[in-house]
Amino acid sequence: MSSSKLSDEFKRDAVAQITERGYPVREVSECLGGSAYSLYAWKKKFAKASSGEAEKDAEIRRLKKELARVSEERDILKKGEACPPLVRGQCRARISPGMQSEW
């Protein structure tokens, strides 16, 4: 696999076979008819380029988790608004001194 003959797109696709699809480096290198050392070099080269994408993906995952948590909290609070609020004076108004409680 001479690096001068192969395009960057081909190299990225080969690296994607390893990183995204989970194929072993040895298997991919055998299929392509080259050395594993070349694939490791391509992986190192193109992993640096995609590290910014990995950071963006991590940020997106974090924000989605936070959004789910906040949405759940909001839904819980909305359900609480459907119930009438307990006013402190309500319970005391039903119980006079010397009377038994209804509860």
Side-chain angles (χ1 to χ4, degrees):
M1 282 189 289
S2 174
S3 62
S4 61
K5 295 179 183 178
L6 303 174
S7 68
D8 283 348
E9 183 179 353
F10 177 82
K11 294 174 185 179
R12 281 188 174 89
D13 289 341
V15 171
Q17 292 287 328
I18 299 165
T19 58
E20 295 173 11
R21 295 185 186 103
Y23 290 108
V25 174
R26 175 180 279 170
E27 185 177 322
V28 174
S29 66
E30 288 174 1
C31 286
L32 297 177
S35 73
Y37 296 106
S38 296
L39 280 174
Y40 282 117
W42 298 347
K43 184 178 175 185
K44 185 176 180 180
K45 176 182 177 182
F46 293 113
K48 289 180 183 176
S50 66
S51 66
E53 292 176 20
E55 290 175 8
K56 288 179 185 177
D57 291 342
E59 178 72 5
I60 289 171
R61 282 192 302 275
R62 186 188 66 78
L63 290 172
K64 283 183 178 181
K65 283 182 183 179
E66 184 177 347
L67 176 63
R69 181 185 57 81
V70 169
S71 296
E72 185 178 354
E73 289 175 0
R74 181 206 60 214
D75 293 343
I76 290 170
L77 291 173
K78 278 186 177 181
K79 288 178 184 176
E81 289 176 359
C83 300
L86 180 64
V87 180
R88 289 185 177 195
Q90 283 181 334
C91 294
R92 291 188 187 143
R94 292 186 181 172
I95 302 173
S96 345
M99 288 183 59
Q100 292 290 335
S101 169
E102 294 176 12
W103 294 296

